[in-house]
């Protein structure tokens, strides 16, 4: 259990201003690498951008049968193991004014805490190490301190870094969100070098350490028949997943294949060992059935149950529809499960059209959400985020996907893509902005206001 600090409102407001100013200072001076660290920064949807980039790297490797290796790194007690002196060194390294450094030093050195329960409570004690979770200043202070680790890791690596998507300038190397780091390389040897360098950078901090049992790895390559290798092929296909045999100080990093659930959840998205989504779909389907059954067993009225499903369960599914590339057919399958309950809860006859559930109130409907429509809208939202991202790599990825989608490379069973729909909607909006609001009914632009009654 992680303790969350309860602080006064005035301090939260003050350090919120500090957090915004410090984040602006670090970004404008180029101290925080825009394409690497994306945590706690204003107007930066880091989870969506990182997972989209990493999934596109896997997609490129799978389509072209290229080698790729990823190591997901976990740091033991990352927030609680960052020393106050380390933060001061980082602030000075990035040329933060002395007055601000003194403010943070006196704040952290004089910070006291007390643990209270129903049965007992402790005396006040000083927090000698770490940044307190719950404090609005801790987010950017952690970013500043951890940026030293990321910079040192980049300095220790020699040569080309990361995985480059074919025929582009897009390189995915070290997607980071706070302390959640993914090290992406072309081969297992390069990934082992990257892991070793990252461990050396953490050792330099003296207090931050890798939690190896929670680290995971995933790699793919082509296995040619008759060619001996010390890697074990997992699938029967030539291009297959394998255990890259990564180690940290002699301790092996687990490959996600032998896990009880063969996937790794990174920033809200599951990456399976075979890069499919079938297990994720099965788990999500079971979860949806449990949610619907839980609501159905309550003593609420039918309309109340429908309201909870429409506003709560559908909203919980929105994140999955955003980060995964599910097909519309799959979304409609989930909607069919929900629709059965909707019909029973609102008392809709079996012979009635189901469209009355989803039509707007203006068209005499109940205005319920439809997962198929939600999926298409959220995919447009995702690629709108990528197109107008502050990170040039994300903008380049959008242009790359748009060019491929125009050539109909948007996957089996799909008739369109979020990129193409986004372009069509933006073109429609530009045309509408040019021509303005069109006249409706029998009011014509050449008819004067006084003679409209004639028509």
């Amino acid at each position: 259990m992680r303790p969350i600090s309860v602080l006064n409102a005035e301090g939260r407001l003050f350090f919120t201003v500090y957090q915004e100013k410090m984040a602006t200072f670090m970004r404008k001076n180029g101290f925080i690498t825009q394409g690497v660290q994306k945590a706690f920064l204003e107007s930066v949807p880091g989870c969506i951008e990182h997972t989209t980039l990493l999934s596109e790297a896997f997609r490129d490797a799978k389509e072209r049968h290229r080698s790729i290796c990823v190591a997901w790194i976990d740091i033991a007690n990352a927030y609680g193991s960052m020393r106050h002196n380390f933060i001061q060194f980082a602030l000075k390294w990035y040329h933060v004014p002395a007055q601000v450094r003194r403010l943070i030093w006196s704040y952290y050195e004089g910070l006291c805490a007390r643990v209270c329960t129903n049965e007992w409570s402790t005396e006040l004690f000083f927090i000698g190490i770490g940044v307190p979770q719950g404090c609005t200043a801790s987010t950017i202070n952690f970013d500043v301190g951890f940026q030293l680790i990321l910079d040192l890791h980049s300095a220790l690596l020699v040569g080309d870094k990361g995985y480059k998507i074919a025929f582009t300038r897009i390189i995915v190397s070290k997607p980071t969100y706070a302390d959640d780091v993914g090290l992406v390389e072309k081969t297992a040897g390069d990934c082992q070098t990257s892991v070793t360098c990252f461990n050396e950078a953490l050792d330099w901090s003296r207090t931050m350490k890798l939690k190896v049992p929670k680290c995971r790895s995933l790699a793919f390559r082509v296995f040619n028949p008759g060619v001996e290798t010390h890697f074990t092929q997992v699938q029967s296909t030539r291009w297959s997943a394998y255990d890259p045999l990564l180690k940290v100080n002699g301790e092996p990093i687990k490959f996600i294949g032998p896990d009880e659930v063969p996937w790794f959840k990174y920033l809200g998205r599951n990456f399976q060992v075979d890069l499919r989504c079938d297990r994720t779909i099965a788990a999500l389907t079971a979860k949806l059935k449990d949610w619907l059954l839980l609501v159905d067993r309550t003593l609420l009225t039918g309309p109340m149950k429908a309201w909870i499903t429409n506003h709560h369960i559908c909203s919980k599914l929105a994140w999955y529809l955003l980060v995964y590339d599910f097909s519309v057919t799959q979304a409609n399958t989930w909607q069919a499960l929900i629709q059965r309950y909707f019909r029973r809860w609102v008392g809709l006859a079996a012979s009635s059209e189901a469209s009355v559930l989803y039509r707007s109130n203006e068209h005499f409907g109940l205005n319920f959400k439809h997962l198929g429509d939600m999926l298409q809208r959220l995919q447009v939202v995702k690629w709108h985020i990528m197109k107008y991202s502050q990170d040039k790599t994300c903008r380049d990825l959008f242009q790359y996907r748009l060019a491929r989608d125009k050539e109909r490379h948007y996957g089996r069973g799909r008739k369109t893509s979020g990129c193409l729909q986004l372009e069509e909607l933006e073109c429609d909006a530009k045309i509408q902005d040019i021509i303005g609001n069109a006249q409706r009914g029998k009011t014509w632009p050449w008819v004067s206001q006084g003679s409209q009654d004639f028509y």
Side-chain angles (χ1 to χ4, degrees):
M1 183 180 67
R2 296 181 179 180
I4 305 297
S5 304
V6 180
L7 306 176
N8 60 343
E10 295 86 352
R12 286 180 178 274
L13 290 173
F14 175 79
F15 283 114
T16 298
V17 176
Y18 162 80
Q19 190 270 345
E20 294 176 353
K21 297 291 185 181
M22 180 63 71
T24 303
F25 172 82
M26 294 290 291
R27 292 172 65 185
K28 284 189 174 181
N29 288 281
F31 296 140
I32 288 183
T33 308
Q34 187 67 49
V36 177
Q37 179 63 271
K38 296 187 177 184
F40 316 128
L41 301 176
E42 186 179 1
S43 302
V44 178
C47 293
I48 297 174
E49 293 182 357
H50 278 332
T51 53
T52 304
L53 279 168
L54 187 54
S55 62
E56 288 300 318
F58 278 127
R59 181 202 295 265
D60 178 77
K62 183 177 182 179
E63 289 180 354
R64 305 181 189 279
H65 286 191
R66 301 175 64 201
S67 176
I68 187 173
C69 184
V70 180
W72 289 286
I73 301 301
D74 186 84
I75 301 173
N77 191 20
Y79 280 81
S81 59
M82 185 173 286
R83 294 180 299 154
H84 299 165
N85 279 335
F86 187 81
I87 297 174
Q88 285 296 306
F89 178 81
L91 293 173
K92 188 174 181 180
W93 181 264
Y94 294 120
H95 310 288
V96 176
Q99 300 93 323
V100 179
R101 301 201 305 268
R102 285 196 295 268
L103 169 68
I104 298 302
W105 174 258
S106 51
Y107 170 55
Y108 279 161
E109 285 299 296
L111 197 62
C112 298
R114 170 183 289 169
V115 179
C116 299
T117 67
N118 294 331
E119 292 80 19
W120 54 269
S121 60
T122 66
E123 298 294 331
L124 288 173
F125 57 88
F126 288 100
I127 300 178
I129 189 173
V131 291
Q133 296 189 53
C135 173
T136 50
S138 297
T139 53
I140 190 61
N141 285 336
F142 181 85
D143 273 0
V144 173
F146 200 70
Q147 188 62 42
L148 273 179
I149 305 296
L150 298 175
D151 290 346
L152 180 56
H153 172 257
S154 299
L156 292 173
L157 284 176
V158 180
D160 297 334
K161 294 171 286 187
Y163 177 88
K164 183 178 180 181
I165 296 179
F167 309 112
T168 68
R169 296 174 296 177
I170 303 170
I171 298 177
V172 185
S173 61
K174 193 168 45 184
T176 303
Y177 194 91
D179 62 317
D180 294 323
V181 184
L183 303 178
V184 186
E185 296 293 342
K186 296 182 289 293
T187 64
D190 292 341
C191 197
Q192 178 62 69
T193 302
S194 183
V195 170
T196 302
C197 292
F198 195 87
N199 188 46
E200 291 178 4
L202 287 178
D203 288 342
W204 173 76
S205 70
R206 296 187 180 182
T207 53
M208 303 183 75
K209 303 292 181 183
L210 287 180
K211 194 171 184 179
V212 182
K214 293 189 68 176
C215 297
R216 290 295 184 271
S217 65
L218 177 61
F220 295 88
R221 54 163 285 183
V222 173
F223 288 85
N224 294 315
V227 178
E228 294 185 1
T229 177
H230 60 284
F231 297 122
T232 303
Q233 185 175 357
V234 174
Q235 282 111 14
S236 59
T237 55
R238 287 186 60 219
W239 188 82
S240 167
Y242 68 96
D243 185 355
L245 305 177
L246 304 179
K247 295 182 179 181
V248 177
N249 296 330
E251 186 176 357
I253 294 178
K254 288 188 65 176
F255 172 58
I256 67 173
D259 284 352
E260 182 179 353
V261 181
W263 67 47
F264 182 79
K265 189 173 184 179
Y266 178 66
L267 301 182
R269 171 165 180 156
N270 296 329
F271 290 93
Q272 290 185 194
V273 67
D274 54 4
L275 297 184
R276 297 178 181 176
C277 294
D278 54 340
R279 289 185 174 91
T280 301
I281 290 173
L284 192 54
T285 302
K287 190 178 295 186
L288 175 59
K289 290 179 179 179
D290 291 341
W291 289 339
L292 292 172
L293 190 60
L294 180 65
V295 173
D296 189 49
R297 286 177 175 174
T298 61
L299 300 179
L300 300 174
T301 63
M304 290 180 180
K305 296 175 182 179
W307 188 94
I308 292 173
T309 302
N310 185 55
H311 289 86
H312 183 67
I313 294 180
C314 290
S315 298
K316 288 175 73 69
L317 294 173
W319 173 256
Y320 300 96
L321 301 179
L322 177 66
V323 297
Y324 290 97
D325 295 326
F326 293 137
S327 64
V328 178
T329 303
Q330 181 58 54
N332 290 335
T333 302
W334 287 327
Q335 187 60 45
L337 295 174
I338 300 175
Q339 186 171 293
R340 297 186 198 127
Y341 287 91
F342 275 160
R343 279 183 172 274
R344 180 154 51 87
W345 289 337
V346 302
L348 191 64
S351 59
S352 302
E353 279 193 18
S355 62
V356 70
L357 297 170
Y358 312 111
R359 291 201 302 262
S360 64
N361 301 133
E362 296 177 355
H363 295 86
F364 309 104
L366 296 177
N367 203 23
F368 287 161
K369 297 174 182 175
H370 193 284
L371 296 185
D373 296 338
M374 283 180 61
L375 172 65
Q376 296 184 59
R377 292 173 183 174
L378 290 171
Q379 287 298 307
V380 170
V381 169
K382 178 174 72 173
W383 288 109
H384 184 275
I385 289 172
M386 301 298 289
K387 181 177 181 179
Y388 296 101
S389 172
Q390 301 177 31
D391 183 8
K392 187 177 183 302
T393 303
C394 295
R395 299 196 299 270
D396 291 342
L397 179 63
F398 171 81
Q399 296 299 330
Y400 167 75
R401 275 298 304 270
L402 179 62
R404 286 182 58 80
D405 290 347
K406 287 181 178 179
E407 298 174 356
R408 298 183 179 274
H409 291 291
Y410 35 71
R412 292 181 299 175
R414 292 172 173 83
K415 299 180 180 179
T416 185
S417 71
C419 295
L420 294 177
Q421 289 179 325
L422 174 60
E423 292 296 292
E424 293 173 2
L425 290 171
E426 288 188 337
C427 288
D428 291 343
K430 290 178 182 178
I431 293 174
Q432 186 65 30
D433 186 57
I434 293 173
I435 66 176
N437 293 325
Q439 297 292 336
R440 297 180 179 179
K442 296 182 180 180
T443 304
W444 308 100
W446 56 81
V447 178
S448 62
Q449 184 68 27
S451 60
Q452 286 183 10
D453 295 336
F454 177 82
Y455 294 89

